[in-house]
């Protein structure tokens, strides 16, 4: 960002980006903790709860770290979603005027 002061739109976009980062980590933990349903007993329940709590803590820490970083959460999401090969293809298509 150009300056450290963000307006309300940028803050809300960053908050939504941070929430997306948290939810993605949480859902991965929830999918892994679904091992409880394969063989439900006390041991797998404890392991599932531990995995879910660990995913929650990791998701909160990662989301807050990226949210408070210099670039922010939206830049992080954009950077991970961008693909140079697709961008080149789309730009080539735009420049191709037949």
């Amino acid at each position: 960002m150009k300056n450290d002061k963000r307006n309300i739109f940028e803050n809300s976009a960053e908050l939504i980006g941070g929430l997306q980062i948290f939810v993605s980590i949480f859902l991965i933990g929830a999918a892994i903790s679904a091992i409880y349903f394969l063989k439900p007993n006390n041991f797998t329940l404890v392991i599932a709860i531990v995995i879910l709590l660990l995913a929650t803590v990791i998701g909160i820490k990662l989301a807050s770290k990226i949210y408070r970083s210099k670039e922010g959460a939206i830049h992080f999401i954009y950077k991970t979603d961008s693909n140079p090969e697709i961008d080149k293809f789309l730009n080539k298509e735009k420049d191709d005027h037949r």
Side-chain angles (χ1 to χ4, degrees):
M1 282 199 194
K2 293 179 182 172
N3 55 11
D4 292 340
K5 192 125 171 131
R6 297 177 182 160
N7 61 25
I8 187 121
F9 175 74
E10 290 172 339
N11 276 337
S12 61
E14 290 294 322
L15 187 63
I16 291 171
L19 189 62
Q20 286 178 340
I21 293 168
F22 165 73
V23 167
S24 65
I25 302 291
F26 181 78
L27 288 177
I28 290 170
I32 292 171
S33 67
I35 60 167
Y36 168 72
F37 295 110
L38 296 176
K39 192 172 189 179
N41 58 33
N42 288 340
F43 179 70
T44 56
L45 178 64
V46 169
I47 289 180
I49 290 172
V50 167
I51 290 172
L52 199 57
L53 289 175
L54 188 64
T56 302
V57 169
I58 291 172
I60 289 172
K61 284 191 173 272
L62 185 64
S64 65
K65 180 180 176 185
I66 292 171
Y67 176 79
R68 289 180 287 172
S69 70
K70 183 178 175 185
E71 289 87 19
I74 296 299
H75 183 266
F76 177 80
I77 293 172
Y78 168 75
K79 185 173 60 174
T80 57
D81 284 344
S82 67
N83 190 340
E85 288 82 20
I86 293 175
D87 292 339
K88 285 180 190 177
F89 178 74
L90 291 175
N91 287 336
K92 183 181 174 187
E93 225 176 55
K94 263 197 260 183
D95 293 338
D96 189 20
H97 301 293
R98 292 182 191 185

